[in-house]
Amino acid sequence: MGKSRLEAFSDGVIAIIITIMVLEMKAPHGSELADLLPVAPTFLTYILSYVYVGLYWNNHHHLFQVVQKVSGGVLWANLHLLFWLSLIPFVTHWLGENHFTAWPTALYGVVLCMAAIAHYILSRTLLAVHDGGNKKLADALGRDYKGKLSVVVYAVAIGLAFVVPAVSLALYALMAAVWLIPDRRIEHVIEK
């Protein structure tokens, strides 16, 4: 089957996720700059989450640029990814409201880790639909070192959340920065 409905649905869900995240942020009472300090953790968490959702949208878009057909398995794998992404507004709000304490920090990492695993499953399911015959897709996916590294770093950060939550948050930010570094594999494959 074609991919257009899947792409449109995914774009809509991701747009709603971003909208929910921004609506969860409440303006502080007061008109002084100092009144922003109590909402700073929520705002910082929003920035990190926005970057993550944007990264997933960008990678999803690139991934579907090199495929022409999808299967029922791909639809389910895509829904699996969207499920974990849809939890980002909840964990973002909980983390920001509780000023980066252990459990919210750990659960934030669990959602990031599960989204990374779901993205890996989606990419491998797409490859299976093409029986490995889509060279562009196989070349674009490569060995997915960043994807595998992400899962390991998130797992470590989840454990560290109960010891030093700030280190966990730094690891989450570091992985976002790693993913922000452009990966030109898909763009090179599309240009061929």
Side-chain angles (χ1 to χ4, degrees):
M1 64 187 89
K3 62 180 182 170
S4 60
R5 290 192 65 207
L6 179 142
E7 289 177 301
F9 178 75
S10 299
D11 287 349
V13 170
I14 290 171
I16 291 168
I17 289 167
I18 290 172
T19 302
I20 290 170
M21 281 192 319
V22 76
L23 291 176
E24 286 291 326
M25 291 194 317
K26 305 297 181 215
H29 298 289
S31 60
E32 299 300 319
L33 203 52
D35 296 325
L36 291 173
L37 286 176
V39 296
T42 301
F43 184 67
L44 292 172
T45 308
Y46 168 78
I47 292 171
L48 182 61
S49 295
Y50 186 91
V51 167
Y52 268 110
V53 172
L55 287 166
Y56 275 104
W57 177 81
N58 192 355
N59 287 326
H60 190 274
H61 171 72
H62 279 101
L63 189 60
F64 281 89
Q65 290 296 301
V66 294
V67 298
Q68 298 306 316
K69 63 181 182 175
V70 297
S71 67
V74 170
L75 296 177
W76 284 110
N78 192 66
L79 283 171
H80 179 229
L81 172 62
L82 293 176
F83 170 77
W84 290 106
L85 293 180
S86 74
L87 292 175
I88 289 178
F90 171 76
V91 293
T92 299
H93 185 69
W94 196 35
L95 182 60
E97 284 289 312
N98 290 288
H99 299 246
F100 315 125
T101 55
W103 277 106
T105 302
L107 188 59
Y108 189 85
V110 167
V111 170
L112 293 179
C113 187
M114 293 307 296
I117 291 169
H119 188 271
Y120 179 81
I121 291 169
L122 174 61
S123 64
R124 295 304 153 189
T125 305
L126 277 168
L127 198 53
V129 165
H130 297 274
D131 297 320
N134 186 334
K135 183 166 174 26
K136 284 186 175 185
L137 178 60
D139 289 347
L141 294 174
R143 297 195 186 273
D144 194 20
Y145 291 121
K146 285 199 298 189
K148 293 172 184 170
L149 174 66
S150 297
V151 172
V152 171
V153 171
Y154 298 145
V156 168
I158 291 164
L160 286 172
F162 299 103
V163 181
V164 187
V167 173
S168 296
L169 292 166
L171 289 172
Y172 301 151
L174 174 67
M175 286 316 305
V178 165
W179 280 98
L180 279 171
I181 297 168
D183 186 348
R184 303 280 186 223
R185 286 179 301 173
I186 292 181
E187 291 174 2
H188 289 303
V189 167
I190 292 170
E191 292 170 1
K192 288 181 183 180

